[in-house]
Structures are given as structure tokens and as C-alpha cells.
Amino acid sequence: MSTIVETPLERGTRQRRTRVAHKGSIAVFVVPFGLLFAVFYLLPIGYAVWQSTRVVEREGTFGPPTEVFGGFRQYAAVLENEAFRESVGRVLTFGIVQVPIMLGLALTFALLLDSPLVKGKKFFRLAFFAPYAVPGVIAAIMWGFMYSPNLSPFRSVTQSVDLLSADLVLWSIANVVTWVYVGYNMLIIYSSLLAIPSEIYEAARLDGASQARIAWSIKIPLVMPAIILTAIFSIIGTLQLLAEPQVFASFTSAVTSDYTPNLLVYTTASVPNPSLAAAFSVVLALATFILSFTFLKVTQRKAFQ
């Protein structure tokens, strides 16, 4: 009796045919996500791009307003808007200073939690992450009261140093953002540290490496993808800064309605001028994409050198 031997190619072909039979099951999981993604993500983006090409024209001085296609006129207005350029420069300055400090603290806390020398890790992990559980608006209100010279429980400090002045309010906001998001970024990095095989640490200790040497030469290089991920999230969050300055505007006149790009978009849409606000949003989204993509490519190129 002869035996038919199935070659690897035939086996792979049979397996592919078997998987094709489950297309209906795949569609059950993919189609709902695709519909939600299209309705709540792609369509709003498309509508924003379409709205940014509209302009309002009138027949005569008192004629009824009519929306017509205006091409790139709104985008020209965006590029000529000095307030928009200043707000972008302000958040870029914010990000250059705040993001490295925040990620440096997050990395330090994650390394401490992963170190065998630290006791009470569960308590500190919860303590570091707890500020992220506070909504951003609530955190901004809380810190706004602590910064206010007349309301702060630390009046001896706030009355001698005006933390809500035009020179310092940006860094006061940076402190709030850092306080909220250090724990979030720490958790991402710490999760990456937990995924490192313990055998690597054992081999390093057998070679006489100290805990500081292990952290610098093994842990940090291996969690660099997580650090890059948190940096990209932070870049996106910096350009989308809205809640904290909007709350601080009620505590100080130094935060104006065009203090950040998102505040300017919100103010412009409230005028109302939805077409110009949409153009602001599209330009801001493109700038965010370019900065994030450039940062990712630069870090990847350095990683492979």
C-alpha cells in the first residue's frame, strides 16, 4: 500500500486555502472597526479639509453671506497669522524643555521600580501613577489655586514669586503637565523593563557589573523603543495643549485666547469662523505629523548606526 507524502509547499497551500474559508469570520471583526474608524476619524478629517477650502462672500455690503470654494485662501491666512506663529513657537519652546524633563523623570522612576534595591515597589508604582488618574482639567484647577498669590496655601512663595506672570506661566503649565503624565510614561517604560529576560541581568552580575552599570548599558538601550514611543506621544500632546492653558486663563491674564495653537483654533471657531479654524487644524495636524515622523526617522537611523 503506497503512502502519499505531502511536501511543505503543498502543506502551505492547503493551510492558505483553509484560512480563506474564514473570510466571513474575519469580516465580522474587521467591518465594525472599519465603519467606526471611517465615521469617527476619516470623515471628520475629510470634512475639516473640505471646510478649510470654503470662504464666505457677500453681494454688496449688506448682502446675505454665501459659502463658496476659496482654494488655499484660508491657508494663506493661516501662514500670515502672527498669533498662530507665536503660539506654535511657544509650544515648541514648551516641548523642548518639558518633554526631556518629563521623560527623564519617567525613566528614572521606572529604573528605580525595576531595581532590586528599592523596597515598597507596589506603593511607589501606585504613587507615581496616581496623578494620571486625575483629569487634566481638575489638575489644572488644583495647581492654579496653588499658584494664585491670594488663594495658595504657600503664600510666602507665591507672593514673592509670581508663578502666573507672563514670564513664568508657561513653565507653571509645564509643571502641571509633567506632574500628570510622568506616571503614564513611567508605566510604559517599566512594562518594557519587565519584558527583559532575567538571564541577561544574571550574566551581567556574573561579569561583575553594578546595578548602575546594568541600568546604563543594558536596561536603557533595551527600553529605547519604549522611550521613543513615549517621546512621540509627548510631541503630539505638546502641540495639542489645550485644557491646562484654558483653565489657567481664568487665573491670569497672561494666558490669552491665542496662547497655544489649539486655543487659537477654539477661539476662531467660536467667533464663528469655522473655515479658518479648520485650516488652522489641518496645518497643525500636518505639523504634528511631520515633527513626529521626523523624530521617529532620526531616532531609528541613530539606533541602526
Side-chain angles (χ1 to χ4, degrees):
M1 182 177 180
S2 60
T3 303
I4 300 176
V5 179
E6 188 178 37
T7 65
L9 180 60
E10 292 173 338
R11 190 182 304 113
T13 303
R14 179 175 57 80
Q15 290 175 349
R16 285 196 296 271
R17 288 175 179 172
T18 303
R19 287 196 294 268
V20 170
H22 300 286
K23 282 186 176 181
S25 301
I26 296 173
V28 170
F29 292 98
V30 173
V31 170
F33 167 78
L35 290 175
L36 293 173
F37 182 77
V39 171
F40 294 103
Y41 189 80
L42 296 180
L43 285 180
I45 291 176
Y47 179 76
V49 173
W50 175 83
Q51 184 67 53
S52 67
T53 63
R54 313 298 291 176
V55 295
V56 176
E57 292 184 351
R58 295 177 182 271
E59 293 183 5
T61 305
F62 303 102
T66 305
E67 273 196 0
V68 297
F69 178 76
F72 295 100
R73 288 166 58 181
Q74 299 289 8
Y75 292 99
V78 169
L79 298 178
E80 294 172 358
N81 192 294
E82 185 177 355
F84 180 72
R85 294 197 299 270
E86 290 179 354
S87 66
V88 171
R90 191 174 292 114
V91 295
L92 289 178
T93 303
F94 175 97
I96 290 171
V97 177
Q98 187 267 338
V99 171
I101 292 175
M102 178 178 64
L103 296 185
L105 289 173
L107 177 61
T108 301
F109 292 156
L111 290 173
L112 287 174
L113 289 177
D114 193 59
S115 172
L117 304 177
V118 176
K119 306 299 181 183
K121 293 183 180 180
K122 291 183 179 180
F123 168 77
F124 286 110
R125 184 167 62 239
L126 179 62
F128 292 150
F129 185 73
Y132 182 69
V134 180
V137 174
I138 303 300
I141 293 173
M142 180 184 69
W143 281 96
F145 276 110
M146 286 195 289
Y147 291 148
S148 181
N150 299 323
L151 303 173
S152 175
F154 312 103
R155 291 188 180 182
S156 58
V157 176
T158 56
Q159 289 182 350
S160 59
V161 180
D162 189 1
L163 297 172
L164 296 177
S165 64
D167 295 330
L168 296 178
V169 68
L170 182 65
W171 310 117
S172 298
I173 296 173
N175 178 64
V176 178
V177 175
T178 302
W179 181 79
V180 171
Y181 288 99
V182 160
Y184 169 79
N185 293 304
M186 176 214 68
L187 199 62
I188 295 176
I189 299 172
Y190 181 60
S191 300
S192 183
L193 285 170
L194 294 178
I196 299 175
S198 59
E199 292 82 1
I200 298 178
Y201 301 148
E202 294 174 2
R205 283 192 288 269
L206 288 175
D207 289 339
S210 63
Q211 289 297 325
R213 183 65 176 176
I214 292 174
W216 180 258
S217 300
I218 297 177
K219 293 183 178 181
I220 293 179
L222 289 179
V223 300
M224 191 57 65
I227 297 174
I228 293 173
L229 177 65
T230 55
I232 292 175
F233 287 164
S234 301
I235 292 171
I236 295 173
T238 296
L239 290 173
Q240 293 180 346
L241 195 62
L242 175 63
E244 291 81 5
Q246 193 172 31
V247 171
F248 270 61
S250 61
F251 290 96
T252 174
S253 59
V255 178
T256 59
S257 60
D258 55 9
Y259 196 74
T260 66
N262 263 3
L263 261 179
L264 180 59
V265 171
Y266 178 82
T267 304
T268 305
S270 302
V271 171
N273 190 347
S275 297
L276 183 58
F280 278 133
S281 301
V282 172
V283 172
L284 184 61
L286 289 175
T288 303
F289 171 77
I290 291 171
L291 283 176
S292 303
F293 184 77
T294 302
F295 176 82
L296 180 62
K297 286 299 181 182
V298 170
T299 51
Q300 284 181 339
R301 188 179 296 112
K302 289 184 177 180
F304 288 105
Q305 285 179 352

